[in-house]
Amino acid sequence: MSSQQTFRAGETQGNAEAKAEDWIQSTKDTANAAQDKACNAAQSAKESGQQGQEHAAGFIQQTGEQVMNMAHGAMDSVKTTLGVGDHSHKK
């Protein structure tokens, strides 16, 4: 093998190694970007879930209060109809 052929073989190998390193770095960068996006999506989902949970808790509490008020109103109506209950304000 001549020295020129040896030089070209070495040059080709060097170019191939450089391209492989570029490709590896590009792959790492792409993987890191994908990981960042996945973490951001997970965080966003977590925050949305917490907001939904807080909203649902508020809705349930509000509904519970409405049901209690309706039950008290119904109970007062029944007491009034039957003439049972607090007579102090009927003087």
Side-chain angles (χ1 to χ4, degrees):
M1 192 182 256
S2 73
S3 62
Q4 189 174 7
Q5 288 175 326
T6 304
F7 175 77
R8 287 186 189 213
E11 185 179 32
T12 301
Q13 182 180 356
N15 287 340
E17 287 174 359
K19 285 181 182 180
E21 287 176 18
D22 288 346
W23 182 77
I24 289 169
Q25 188 59 48
S26 175
T27 301
K28 286 179 182 179
D29 292 345
T30 302
N32 287 333
Q35 182 181 14
D36 289 345
K37 285 182 180 181
C39 287
N40 290 339
Q43 183 64 32
S44 178
K46 179 182 175 185
E47 290 170 1
S48 293
Q50 288 173 340
Q51 287 176 345
Q53 187 177 17
E54 291 168 5
H55 180 71
F59 176 76
I60 290 171
Q61 181 180 359
Q62 188 177 29
T63 302
E65 290 172 359
Q66 289 174 347
V67 169
M68 283 178 41
N69 289 336
M70 288 172 41
H72 284 295
M75 190 170 62
D76 289 344
S77 293
V78 169
K79 285 180 179 181
T80 300
T81 301
L82 296 176
V84 182
D86 189 10
H87 297 289
S88 63
H89 51 51
K90 290 189 175 183
K91 289 185 179 179

